[in-house]
Amino acid sequence: MTSITTTCRDISELLPAAQTACRLLFQECFKAGIKNVFITETYRSQERQKYLYAQGRTRPGQIVTWTLDSNHKSRIAWDIAVGPPQSLYDVATLSRVGAIARKLGIIWGGDWTGNIDRPHFEVKPNWIMPKGYQIEGQVIIPTNSKYQVQLTVEGNTTKPIAKDDDKMLFTNETTKAAVRDYIKQAVDKKKIDKSWLDKFDQGTMTSGDFEGLKIIIVQRKNNKE
């Protein structure tokens, strides 16, 4: 089982409606020029929720959640953060994303009264994409501040801009082919979402991404055995 201290940033762990809503939100952010935002958490088990709830109460640290009943465990919520040059939870940037979310019928935690949660977004399980919107291409959603949001449409081969040297390291063709086969087998066995294979083929998967992906594949294999 996944450790309660491990953060899941994989949008394929969300319900289909939430996956689509998340992709649409990041697409519209990209189109609005907001590219330095990234996912910090998607699915959260009840055990992890209890662990986080204890922080600042029965466990050292600052309080990070006020509820034991989070919609993260229902697979309909995700959290985001802001990359450089802004601060991690820059209010102005999160408010711009929140304004976009409202137009898409996505609930923004910044609109809540009392327990305001600006990094938090969620949808109802029956969320439907509003009229006039569509997923226009491959939406590349970063899971850390090293990359920026990208929208790749047909005929446009723009790739995410790396902010450091954490780039794809599979330069040897034999190794590259073996790695691709490993990822494809995991996709075929439905252990991971096809978006991972797309990311590999586009050359945007980093060595760090691959190391994390291997852990996910092993965990899901063990959970079924």
Side-chain angles (χ1 to χ4, degrees):
M1 294 179 64
T2 303
S3 168
I4 57 174
T5 61
T6 302
T7 302
C8 175
R9 303 188 180 196
D10 186 354
I11 74 164
S12 69
E13 289 291 344
L14 298 174
L15 293 182
Q19 289 184 43
T20 301
C22 186
R23 287 192 176 95
L24 183 63
L25 178 62
F26 274 82
Q27 171 185 283
E28 296 305 304
C29 283
F30 174 86
K31 292 167 63 178
I34 308 170
K35 303 176 184 179
N36 61 327
V37 287
F38 60 97
I39 290 282
T40 58
E41 188 157 23
T42 54
Y43 168 68
R44 183 188 298 158
S45 68
Q46 184 61 50
E47 290 71 23
R48 175 166 166 74
Q49 187 66 34
K50 291 178 181 177
Y51 172 79
L52 293 176
Y53 186 81
Q55 184 170 316
R57 295 182 174 88
T58 58
R59 193 165 55 79
Q62 292 185 331
I63 290 178
V64 293
T65 183
W66 56 86
T67 181
L68 285 169
D69 187 24
S70 169
N71 279 328
H72 281 281
K73 66 184 177 64
S74 299
R75 302 179 186 270
I76 56 174
W78 62 94
D79 292 336
I80 73 169
V82 184
Q86 278 76 36
S87 60
L88 194 62
Y89 296 113
D90 180 65
V91 173
T93 302
L94 292 175
S95 295
R96 290 181 65 197
V97 178
I100 293 172
R102 287 190 208 105
K103 296 178 181 178
L104 305 177
I106 296 171
I107 299 165
W108 177 44
D111 284 332
W112 293 342
T113 56
N115 296 317
I116 296 174
D117 190 354
R118 292 186 183 91
H120 181 94
F121 297 82
E122 63 180 62
V123 292
K124 300 293 185 184
N126 60 348
W127 177 88
I128 298 176
M129 188 180 299
K131 290 183 179 180
Y133 291 95
Q134 63 177 0
I135 301 296
E136 299 171 16
Q138 175 74 14
V139 185
I140 300 174
I141 302 174
T143 54
N144 58 57
S145 61
K146 296 173 184 175
Y147 288 90
Q148 297 195 339
V149 183
Q150 288 291 323
L151 172 62
T152 305
V153 296
E154 189 174 354
N156 178 359
T157 56
T158 302
K159 295 177 181 177
I161 302 168
K163 295 183 181 176
D164 59 15
D165 60 355
D166 184 23
K167 297 178 181 177
M168 190 70 177
L169 299 180
F170 307 118
T171 54
N172 179 283
E173 289 302 317
T174 302
T175 303
K176 187 175 181 180
V179 170
R180 188 187 189 283
D181 184 62
Y182 173 77
I183 296 173
K184 187 176 185 305
Q185 286 185 38
V187 171
D188 292 343
K189 294 177 181 177
K190 302 189 183 303
K191 296 188 184 300
I192 57 172
D193 188 75
K194 184 178 178 294
S195 60
W196 284 106
L197 184 61
D198 294 337
K199 190 171 187 177
F200 180 89
D201 288 341
Q202 291 161 6
T204 61
M205 180 179 287
T206 67
S207 57
D209 289 334
F210 182 59
E211 289 304 312
L213 185 58
K214 286 195 293 184
I215 293 173
I216 292 172
I217 292 172
V218 170
Q219 287 175 339
R220 292 179 184 174
K221 178 182 178 182
N222 291 340
N223 287 342
K224 291 185 177 181
E225 289 180 349

